[in-house]
Amino acid sequence: MHRFIIPTMTCGGCARSVTKALQGVDPDARIETDPPAREVRVESAHGPEAFVAALAEAGFPTSP
């Protein structure tokens, strides 16, 4: 499972956009968003690099 902190994910609309970006990498991924914590967890066989790139491209860069 990958865990990403996304400082700009502050609401449900952001969470939907984040989910859509992540599903573009792996449509079968299990994705859990937590906007109040600004965190997303992704269960996928894909490596984290592809998800980080997709999030940045969608305007939701991750924080270390």
Side-chain angles (χ1 to χ4, degrees):
M1 176 158 306
H2 311 300
R3 179 179 168 265
F4 304 106
I5 301 299
I6 306 174
T8 58
M9 184 179 70
T10 58
C11 66
C14 295
R16 285 187 291 279
S17 296
V18 164
T19 298
K20 184 177 177 181
L22 295 170
Q23 287 174 331
V25 175
D26 181 359
D28 298 322
R30 194 174 128 247
I31 300 164
E32 298 174 16
T33 58
D34 185 353
R38 298 182 180 180
E39 178 181 271
V40 63
R41 291 172 298 282
V42 182
E43 190 171 320
S44 172
H46 290 74
E49 299 82 11
F51 293 111
V52 169
L55 288 166
E57 187 174 315
F60 294 97
T62 60
S63 179

